[in-house]
Amino acid sequence: MKLVPATITEALKRSVPNHPISVHGWIRSVRQQKKLSFAHLSDGNGEVQVTLSPELARGLTTGTSLRVDGLTSLHPRTQQLEVRGEQLHVYGAAPGDSYPIQKKEHGSEHLRDNAHLRTRTMQTTHMIKLRDNLTYNVLTWMRSNGFTNVQPPIITSSDCEGAGEVFEVNPPNKKEKFFGQNAYLTVSSQLHLEAVAAGFARVFTLSPTFRAEPSQTSRHLAEFWMLEAELSFVQDLEGVMSVVENCLKGAVGDLDSALKGNADALHIDKDWQRITYSHAVELLQHRHAASPFQFTPEWGASLQSEHERYLAEEVYKAPLFVTDYPASIKPFYMRANDDQDTVACFDLLVPGIGELAGGSLREERLDVLQHKMDVAGLDQETYNWYLDLRRYGTVPHGGFGVGFERLLSVISGVSNLRDIVLFPRWAGRCDF
């Protein structure tokens, strides 16, 4: 693209030693010496060391944006290309006494307070590259395995999970509802994906979701992204789990080597185990008798984070699927098993994070689904369009959702999800 300045990576790739070059970027650090000064220049995608005369380097500070014109040369020790600067054009100065992102290490809270500038740090640059690479790999895997990428709505008329943790959408200072009815930010694209899957056998989306959860833990955000998929004509939970396993293994395995970080935690070279919820509770109760958890594991209760991590980190020491949870603790849309006490569902538990993904067969039988909605106290009129999917050409089907930030957390080793996203939102905090 002749009219667009080359990135640092592009400029270096087409250069040889002692070749004219121009590079643009922001100074990450500058080191002033008597005879020669050194500036570390980055444009996000690439970086390069620039050598400058003391005269040229005078007044340069971390954060300054500029163009450097000069000649390429080989670093005497690493033999990597660097730039011997001969002329500078400063686009924007960054006063050293007030610029918040200095060369020194900054704490997470400081970087979150300056999220609008933290893209210039090594940590955030790495996370952006990892997310970009992983997104590309996921989209590539899904497309090559027959899935169609669709864009479901962000504003919905119903609560997919039925848990009430939704943000209502309405313009401020308006007495009448903008849409003429209740409307919310989506907590999951699943129901709309099911509608698309009523005409396309395999569909998926990677899109934002919203939960009005008051939780302040490092594992929860009010706005996050989900990889969600639906598969028509699948009648066995194993089929859905195999898609999750193969997709994640394929996407992570194809990451650039410099971005794989803690990817070994996913054990992509081994088969992931499957156990039932009932067996999981037995394992947890055995451990609880010898060394009590904070929360007592009981059949019929949700697994707590400490339970999930114990199973993944200490018992199986690898990712595992826990299947067939009690119907009483799962959403209405999950298909009832023959025992009527459990549903055909799974959670994927991973060392370091606990629950990473969840999925199920969907209840395709109209009468059973209507009964489950009555038990859950849901208004069938609100979900009438969803029931139509069972009235007209219903098919057995299933799907899943993967928390994308949680996946990035596992791979990167960054435990707090607030440091995974560029502009994190959580209860009590929505800056920028």
Side-chain angles (χ1 to χ4, degrees):
M1 296 183 289
K2 292 183 179 180
L3 298 180
V4 179
T7 65
I8 290 176
T9 299
E10 291 170 339
L12 293 177
K13 188 176 293 186
R14 64 179 67 147
S15 295
V16 294
N18 207 38
H19 187 273
I21 190 172
S22 293
V23 288
H24 306 72
W26 294 265
I27 294 178
R28 278 212 169 128
S29 64
V30 59
R31 183 160 45 96
Q32 309 273 7
Q33 294 185 351
K34 288 185 178 180
K35 296 183 178 181
L36 199 62
S37 296
F38 303 87
H40 182 192
L41 196 68
S42 170
D43 65 359
N45 285 313
E47 54 192 57
V48 67
Q49 177 170 276
V50 178
T51 59
L52 299 165
S53 67
E55 293 75 24
L56 274 178
R58 186 173 294 116
L60 293 181
T61 58
T62 300
T64 297
S65 57
L66 73 167
R67 183 188 76 233
V68 180
D69 300 320
L71 297 174
T72 53
S73 61
L74 290 176
H75 188 283
R77 181 170 53 84
T78 66
Q79 295 298 296
Q80 291 184 332
L81 282 176
E82 58 182 20
V83 177
R84 187 167 66 248
E86 296 180 341
Q87 287 185 322
L88 301 182
H89 175 78
V90 175
Y91 294 110
D97 58 349
S98 59
Y99 181 56
I101 310 295
Q102 295 296 326
K103 180 183 177 182
K104 66 179 182 179
E105 287 290 327
H106 294 287
S108 296
E109 285 297 335
H110 177 81
L111 292 177
R112 290 173 203 149
D113 289 341
N114 292 278
H116 57 303
L117 296 171
R118 69 175 176 175
T119 54
R120 300 181 190 179
T121 65
M122 295 288 287
Q123 307 98 300
T124 305
T125 294
H126 178 86
M127 190 60 66
I128 291 173
K129 289 182 176 179
L130 172 57
R131 189 177 194 123
D132 173 66
N133 195 178
L134 185 63
T135 299
Y136 176 83
N137 290 352
V138 165
L139 297 181
T140 300
W141 190 94
M142 297 297 279
R143 186 174 183 83
S144 65
N145 284 274
F147 285 82
T148 301
N149 187 8
V150 298
Q151 293 72 45
I154 299 299
I155 299 175
T156 72
S157 61
S158 57
D159 175 6
C160 173
E161 298 296 327
E165 295 172 335
V166 294
F167 291 101
E168 187 168 359
V169 178
N170 211 47
N173 305 318
K174 297 289 185 181
K175 293 183 179 180
E176 296 182 356
K177 293 184 180 297
F178 182 84
F179 294 102
Q181 63 182 67
N182 292 335
Y184 314 96
L185 294 180
T186 183
V187 298
S188 169
S189 296
Q190 179 200 315
L191 303 190
H192 293 94
L193 281 181
E194 285 190 63
V196 183
F200 284 74
R202 298 179 188 176
V203 296
F204 80 101
T205 187
L206 180 57
S207 55
T209 56
F210 307 85
R211 302 278 172 92
E213 290 182 303
S215 175
Q216 294 288 332
T217 74
S218 63
R219 299 170 62 244
H220 292 87
L221 294 169
E223 177 185 355
F224 55 96
W225 285 63
M226 292 279 288
L227 168 65
E228 298 183 88
E230 291 293 322
L231 303 88
S232 292
F233 308 107
V234 62
Q235 302 186 56
D236 192 322
L237 194 63
E238 178 58 36
V240 183
M241 291 188 290
S242 67
V243 170
V244 175
E245 181 171 356
N246 289 319
C247 175
L248 296 185
K249 285 181 175 180
V252 173
D254 287 341
L255 285 172
D256 295 343
S257 57
L259 300 174
K260 287 190 175 181
N262 193 46
D264 288 346
L266 289 169
H267 295 270
I268 61 175
D269 57 339
K270 298 180 181 178
D271 292 335
W272 295 349
Q273 297 296 307
R274 280 87 160 133
I275 65 170
T276 65
Y277 166 88
S278 296
H279 183 50
V281 171
E282 290 176 1
L283 293 172
L284 293 168
Q285 289 177 334
H286 180 75
R287 150 64 199 275
H288 185 71
S291 178
F293 292 105
Q294 179 182 355
F295 297 95
T296 302
E298 297 178 331
W299 202 98
S302 298
L303 300 185
Q304 300 297 316
S305 177
E306 60 176 340
H307 303 150
E308 296 170 342
R309 295 191 63 171
Y310 170 73
L311 292 169
E313 296 172 14
E314 299 186 40
V315 179
Y316 289 91
K317 298 180 172 62
L320 75 149
F321 292 97
V322 179
T323 68
D324 303 302
Y325 283 71
S328 59
I329 61 174
K330 288 298 184 180
F332 71 95
Y333 52 74
M334 293 185 175
R335 194 180 200 280
N337 285 327
D338 292 341
D339 62 15
Q340 300 302 314
D341 292 325
T342 62
V343 288
C345 69
F346 65 84
D347 283 347
L348 173 61
L349 311 183
V350 172
I353 196 71
E355 182 187 349
L356 175 61
S360 73
L361 296 181
R362 314 311 192 190
E363 186 56 75
E364 85 281 7
R365 297 165 293 187
L366 177 61
D367 58 335
V368 178
L369 181 60
Q370 289 174 318
H371 174 72
K372 288 166 69 72
M373 293 175 70
D374 287 339
V375 171
L378 298 176
D379 177 23
Q380 291 193 23
E381 185 61 32
T382 300
Y383 293 87
N384 192 53
W385 66 272
Y386 184 66
L387 293 172
D388 272 352
L389 302 177
R390 276 68 178 174
R391 294 187 180 105
Y392 310 117
T394 186
V395 299
H397 62 289
F400 63 87
V402 178
F404 210 62
E405 281 78 16
R406 292 192 176 194
L407 178 57
L408 289 164
S409 175
V410 173
I411 299 168
S412 66
V414 176
S415 60
N416 197 318
L417 300 189
R418 297 171 186 175
D419 300 321
I420 301 291
V421 299
L422 291 177
F423 299 99
R425 278 81 169 89
W426 67 92
R429 191 75 178 267
C430 185
D431 299 333
F432 312 105

